[in-house]
Amino acid sequence: MPNLLLELRSEEIPARMQRKAAGDLKKLVTDALVEAGLSYEGAREYWTPRRLALDIHGLTARSADVREERKGPRTDANEKAIEGFLRGAGLSSVSEAQVVSDPKKGDFYVAVISKPGRATEEIVTDVMPGIIRDFPWPKSMRWGKASSKPGALRWVRPLQSIVCTFGPEHEETTVIPFEIDGITAANITYGHRFHAPEAITVRRFDDYAANLEKAKVILDAERRKDIILHDARDIAFANGLELVEDEGLLEEVSGLVEWPQVLMGSFEEDYLSIPSEIIRLTIKTNQKCFVTRKQGEETLSNKFILVSNIQASDGGKEIVHGNGKVVRARLSDALHFWKRDQGNLPDLDTLTASAAKFGLDIKKPLDQRMAKLDALDVTFHAKLGTQGARVARIRALAKELADITGADAALVDRAAVLAKADLRTEAVGEFPELQGLMGRKYAVLQGEDASVAAAIEDHYKPQGPSDRVPEDRVAITIALADKLDTLIGFWAIDEKPTGSKDPFALRRAALGVVRILLERRIRLPLLATTRGGDLLSFFHDRLKVYLRDQGARHDLIDAVLTPDTDDLLMVARRVEALTAFITSEDGKNLLSGTKRATQLLAAEEKKGTVIADGVSQALLTLDAENELFAAISGASKDASDAVAGEDFRSAMEALSKLRGPVDRFFEDVLVNDEDAAIRANRLALLRLIREATGTVADFSKISG
């Protein structure tokens, strides 16, 4: 079967857009072809900085013929109805329609509409211009003389040529010459901008990829990544070092080169006095280079690895020299930031009021930065005040939380007032992603307690489902206070997440609270802390997501979670115990009997059947009734005592003793007895079953 090759070649596409754009191209083209009646065996997308390519193999040569029967009105219908039918079916007269007889409905017209299949070349010509014109780039541009005309083509960078060939695997292919804004698809592409600028004629994907490689273009992005990674590891190893791997940087760099050449540069060892995190970010952000370290050690070396797009005749000496100059200049700036942040601010006399407000030691650099943050009235949010006001709120909330977490109150207070201080450091100003981490380093330098220093870094954590949760009690306290203040504040001004929009990362903050409470086993009454049932519901949603990700069944979560449940740790422990119980044989059988009882009871309640206020032993006439009543009395007390002691496994074991009595009750007893008093008493007995199991969970919500 024939194959289709498509290439859209342009000026350099931003690396961050390439992978998604190639995927979008594959989906848009294959969807359009299938919708037009074609089928294919497989498709794969490719991308480089200067091209998006698509290889569709096993594509049918034409779409299938379509035969459609369209039912019309009765033959004796009015003239307008028949005319409308003919017009809609594309027929000129009733003689072109068929007459079909129905024994019940009589004779009616049927139009048989045949649509012949279309050649794939014709379909591609029809669909491709629209796909290119409406391509979903995050940002696009117009260019050249045509850019001033209405409806001019927009592309991420100027589109230069299009390849579109179609044909069998071992025969000659044809060009599908569709046109858009003066660019006509052909079978001509170009290789590396510098090494092989000559035109290349291609027929199908195999020779296309092979010819590009001869022209210094590696089409497969994953292969480029593999080459870069292994060459970087090898060159580091050859120099007695190891590569500090970075998947995000590797992805980006592979999108900057078509012919990757891995080289090593260096900088003066004096710069190694800068924290490793700053060195790594400086070199990564500004030069897209990797750093190295001595094998088996954490500290960085003064060697860095760069990836060039040019195979230089001098072995890369000039490229390394040029990159080294820029790296040194950037590290010089970073060293300046690092040293300045450890010194005194020039306007200390203006900071005394802010220092007094937060109990800051104005002789210490980090304290000065916190005072500066407050004195400048730096806005946190227009409706939530300044950063200084926020620190004051976090401080007050952290004081309350310290009693719950068991953290040292004095250390919590100190950590709270310094947690945001590094926002006014030059290092964080240059690299915002280092906030917290730099604060910790500066705190250590000025002799802060280890718990305070840890809290300054860790109070932002966890920042995602895979990020670590703080361990130190002071850090846990500040992390909770920080996240809860954010959530309480944005709820107060009605800035809640809507749909997929969550500009203030409130879902992440709530999930962070959930993870801290559960993974560090903290009992926090959220309803009292947050002062809002609406926010509690938001926490419930995040808790459900977290527990489901941990493998918990949604129905078991619903069975233990009520709208006013604000102790999330207890919910998790109940779900854990219920999961173990409900998968046991006793649990399965008790669930079956309990559901039968609650469903029967609910049905009678809905009908308004009289149910006794309590169970009268005098009306228990059968052994099965007496046995069940005794079992419920004992199990209910034992389960309640176990729940009060937060021993949910024992509560489940107590309930499991109901299994036999419940089974025998339904075997031997007719609930809806003719005697109204006995019936009401037996229904009251069923209500006791519901109440007993309800001490642990709402069994009616459990499936199975």
Side-chain angles (χ1 to χ4, degrees):
M1 294 176 74
N3 301 329
L4 179 70
L5 169 64
L6 178 70
E7 181 201 66
L8 303 173
R9 190 179 63 89
S10 67
E11 293 292 334
E12 275 71 8
I13 305 166
R16 68 184 182 279
M17 298 183 188
Q18 293 168 19
R19 182 181 291 272
K20 182 179 184 303
D24 287 342
L25 180 65
K26 173 184 171 181
K27 185 176 190 312
L28 290 168
V29 173
T30 54
D31 283 358
L33 296 180
V34 169
E35 188 176 345
L38 300 175
S39 62
Y40 64 96
E41 293 176 0
R44 185 177 172 187
E45 71 275 30
Y46 297 86
W47 62 93
T48 80
R50 297 176 63 217
R51 66 200 82 223
L52 302 178
L54 182 60
D55 171 33
I56 303 178
H57 53 274
L59 184 64
T60 46
R62 63 183 295 110
S63 61
D65 296 342
V66 176
R67 185 179 185 277
E68 176 190 353
E69 290 190 0
R70 188 175 300 178
K71 186 177 178 181
R74 285 166 52 103
T75 54
D76 57 357
N78 65 64
E79 192 173 331
K80 285 190 176 181
I82 294 173
E83 286 177 359
F85 160 67
L86 294 174
R87 188 165 52 250
L91 304 181
S92 57
S93 70
V94 291
S95 63
E96 295 177 2
Q98 295 181 5
V99 176
V100 176
S101 296
D102 185 307
K104 294 182 179 179
K105 298 181 180 179
D107 295 344
F108 57 89
Y109 290 117
V110 171
V112 178
I113 304 171
S114 296
K115 295 181 180 178
R118 301 167 66 205
T120 297
E121 293 93 325
E122 182 185 342
I123 293 171
V124 171
T125 299
D126 278 356
V127 303
M128 280 310 304
I131 290 173
I132 294 172
R133 191 173 292 283
D134 299 328
F135 200 80
W137 292 109
K139 291 184 178 180
S140 58
M141 60 180 290
R142 295 177 297 179
W143 63 93
K145 292 181 180 179
S147 64
S148 60
K149 298 177 182 177
L153 174 64
R154 301 184 68 94
W155 199 246
V156 63
R157 294 293 184 270
L159 187 62
Q160 296 176 327
S161 67
I162 301 172
V163 168
C164 189
T165 65
F166 180 67
E169 190 173 348
H170 300 295
E171 297 177 22
E172 199 54 52
T173 57
T174 60
V175 172
I176 304 179
F178 64 85
E179 185 269 341
I180 180 166
D181 271 30
I183 303 173
T184 302
N187 59 352
I188 303 296
T189 190
Y190 295 84
H192 194 284
R193 184 188 294 278
F194 304 112
H195 290 309
E198 301 83 11
I200 301 170
T201 302
V202 298
R203 292 176 298 168
R204 56 182 59 85
F205 178 77
D206 288 346
D207 70 273
Y208 165 73
N211 285 333
L212 279 180
E213 186 140 349
K214 291 176 186 175
K216 310 292 188 188
V217 174
I218 295 174
L219 184 64
D220 187 342
E222 295 303 324
R223 191 166 151 239
R224 292 198 305 276
K225 285 175 66 174
D226 193 59
I227 290 170
I228 293 168
L229 180 60
H230 285 87
D231 285 359
R233 285 173 177 167
D234 289 348
I235 197 171
F237 182 78
N239 285 270
L241 304 168
E242 65 182 20
L243 176 71
V244 177
E245 298 186 14
D246 186 325
E247 176 60 30
L249 179 58
L250 180 62
E251 173 80 8
E252 183 177 12
V253 170
S254 72
L256 297 174
V257 296
E258 292 192 316
W259 191 247
Q261 304 296 305
V262 177
L263 304 166
M264 177 174 277
S266 65
F267 53 84
E268 287 74 18
E269 291 192 355
D270 290 349
Y271 289 123
L272 294 177
S273 63
I274 306 169
S276 295
E277 294 86 356
I278 296 181
I279 294 174
R280 184 175 179 179
L281 265 178
T282 298
I283 292 176
K284 171 183 176 178
T285 304
N286 294 299
Q287 285 303 101
K288 313 302 179 192
C289 295
F290 298 86
V291 293
T292 64
R293 60 191 168 210
K294 292 182 180 178
Q295 293 179 6
E297 296 184 12
E298 287 298 317
T299 54
L300 299 184
S301 79
N302 68 325
K303 306 287 186 182
F304 64 92
I305 290 175
L306 63 102
V307 182
S308 171
N309 192 36
I310 299 173
Q311 188 172 337
S313 57
D314 65 354
K317 291 180 181 178
E318 279 301 314
I319 295 172
V320 169
H321 176 70
N323 276 268
K325 284 177 65 177
V326 178
V327 165
R328 290 184 194 93
R330 298 298 188 187
L331 289 176
S332 177
D333 291 342
L335 183 59
H336 178 68
F337 300 149
W338 171 239
K339 289 180 176 178
R340 289 246 314 191
D341 287 338
Q342 297 173 54
N344 290 331
L345 292 172
D347 53 353
L348 290 181
D349 56 324
T350 66
L351 305 178
T352 52
S354 291
K357 184 193 304 184
F358 290 98
L360 297 165
D361 184 349
I362 206 70
K363 300 186 192 71
K364 296 182 176 181
L366 201 56
D367 291 60
Q368 294 173 21
R369 271 69 187 175
M370 178 56 221
K372 186 73 172 179
L373 184 70
D374 179 66
L376 288 174
D377 286 335
V378 176
T379 300
F380 168 63
H381 184 279
K383 295 181 181 179
L384 294 174
T386 65
Q387 286 282 11
R390 181 165 190 249
V391 170
R393 293 195 304 269
I394 291 172
R395 186 184 188 186
L397 184 53
K399 184 178 180 180
E400 294 178 29
L401 293 173
D403 292 335
I404 296 170
T405 61
D408 183 288
L411 295 179
V412 165
D413 189 68
R414 182 64 175 160
V417 298
L418 291 181
K420 304 297 181 183
D422 68 355
L423 296 178
R424 290 307 305 168
T425 62
E426 295 193 38
V428 173
E430 181 72 10
F431 300 112
E433 54 266 62
L434 291 181
Q435 59 186 285
L437 187 147
M438 294 311 303
R440 179 177 191 161
K441 290 185 179 295
Y442 294 133
V444 170
L445 285 172
Q446 69 178 37
E448 298 297 332
D449 186 279
S451 290
V452 172
I456 293 172
E457 178 179 6
D458 288 355
H459 81 280
Y460 290 105
K461 297 183 179 299
Q463 296 198 50
S466 59
D467 194 17
R468 67 178 177 86
V469 171
E471 296 181 16
D472 184 278
R473 290 184 183 276
V474 176
I476 288 169
T477 308
I478 305 301
L480 286 172
D482 178 65
K483 292 167 179 58
L484 288 170
D485 174 74
T486 298
L487 290 159
I488 293 168
F490 282 106
W491 246 249
I493 62 173
D494 201 26
E495 286 280 5
K496 305 166 190 174
T498 56
S500 62
K501 294 182 180 179
D502 187 10
F504 303 109
L506 301 181
R507 291 188 181 96
R508 187 176 71 186
L511 182 58
V513 171
V514 169
R515 286 191 60 201
I516 292 171
L517 296 182
L518 269 55
E519 294 177 32
R520 296 295 173 249
R521 308 192 75 75
I522 295 171
R523 305 281 302 279
L524 177 64
L526 279 172
L527 195 58
T529 305
T530 60
R531 305 170 184 86
D534 190 23
L535 182 51
L536 181 61
S537 175
F538 186 67
F539 276 114
H540 285 176
D541 290 341
R542 296 303 98 199
L543 175 67
K544 289 177 182 179
V545 170
Y546 175 79
L547 292 177
R548 284 200 295 265
D549 287 345
Q550 300 297 307
R553 281 170 38 181
H554 69 88
D555 58 324
L556 301 189
I557 300 170
D558 290 339
V560 303
L561 190 60
T562 62
D564 58 350
T565 304
D566 71 344
D567 187 341
L568 304 190
L569 179 59
M570 288 301 98
V571 173
R573 290 178 58 184
R574 282 175 183 259
V575 170
E576 182 182 350
L578 186 57
T579 300
F581 176 64
I582 219 68
T583 53
S584 69
E585 200 61 32
D586 279 350
K588 290 176 185 175
N589 290 329
L590 179 61
L591 174 63
S592 176
T594 302
K595 288 179 79 71
R596 183 176 176 184
T598 54
Q599 287 168 357
L600 196 159
L601 181 63
E604 295 304 317
E605 286 173 333
K606 190 174 182 180
K607 289 191 290 187
T609 304
V610 174
I611 302 172
D613 292 335
V615 175
S616 169
Q617 284 188 277
L619 292 175
L620 299 177
T621 59
L622 300 176
D623 290 344
E625 289 180 281
N626 282 292
E627 182 186 358
L628 178 59
F629 180 64
I632 291 174
S633 301
S636 182
K637 182 181 183 306
D638 291 345
S640 295
D641 290 346
V643 168
E646 298 175 7
D647 185 354
F648 300 113
R649 288 188 181 275
S650 294
M652 299 294 175
E653 289 174 9
L655 292 179
S656 69
K657 296 173 184 176
L658 291 175
R659 172 194 166 181
V662 167
D663 288 348
R664 280 188 287 279
F665 177 83
F666 282 114
E667 287 172 7
D668 299 350
V669 178
L670 176 65
V671 174
N672 284 322
D673 194 90
E674 292 181 358
D675 186 310
I678 292 176
R679 179 170 65 246
N681 199 55
R682 288 174 179 172
L683 288 172
L685 194 55
L686 297 188
R687 187 165 58 198
L688 285 184
I689 297 175
R690 184 170 67 184
E691 290 171 355
T693 55
T695 59
V696 173
D698 184 349
F699 274 48
S700 68
K701 293 182 178 178
I702 303 174
S703 60

